[in-house]
Amino acid sequence: MLGTVENKAGLLFKGNNFKVVKKVINLGEQIPSHNHENEEIIFSVLKGKMEIFLNGEEKHILVPGDILHFDGKNFISGNALEDSEINITLILK
């Protein structure tokens, strides 16, 4: 088989220099402040609405189809403004 399809929560794919994670987050659930020092981050909203903060200052309201890219040395935090599903791609620098 040439391709793999996944549609579940958790670690979906992992290679030598990347990981793809899907998270299901309920309304009001928070993402505590954290970073991924050695990775580039691509944060994609599949369903719902997310309020995301970078370094506690820069605010982004993300809806389905929105993709946020940032250097993992920055701290991310946020909360679900609706029941949400997100994909996070982490790429090793």
Side-chain angles (χ1 to χ4, degrees), residues 18-58:
F18 77 95
K19 290 188 282 190
V20 178
V21 178
K22 180 176 182 179
K23 292 196 173 278
V24 176
I25 302 175
N26 296 319
L27 170 67
E29 190 174 340
Q30 296 187 350
I31 298 171
S33 182
H34 68 286
N35 72 344
H36 299 273
E37 183 73 31
N38 298 314
E39 297 165 312
E40 291 284 326
I41 310 299
I42 300 170
F43 185 101
S44 306
V45 176
L46 305 173
K47 294 181 183 176
K49 189 174 186 180
M50 297 292 301
E51 179 181 50
I52 298 298
F53 294 92
L54 296 178
N55 293 332
E57 300 171 5
E58 186 177 302

Side-chain angles (χ1 to χ4, degrees), residues 53-70:
F53 294 92
L54 296 178
N55 293 332
E57 300 171 5
E58 186 177 302
K59 178 180 172 181
H60 297 272
I61 302 294
L62 304 174
V63 296
D66 286 345
I67 301 171
L68 174 63
H69 169 256
F70 60 97

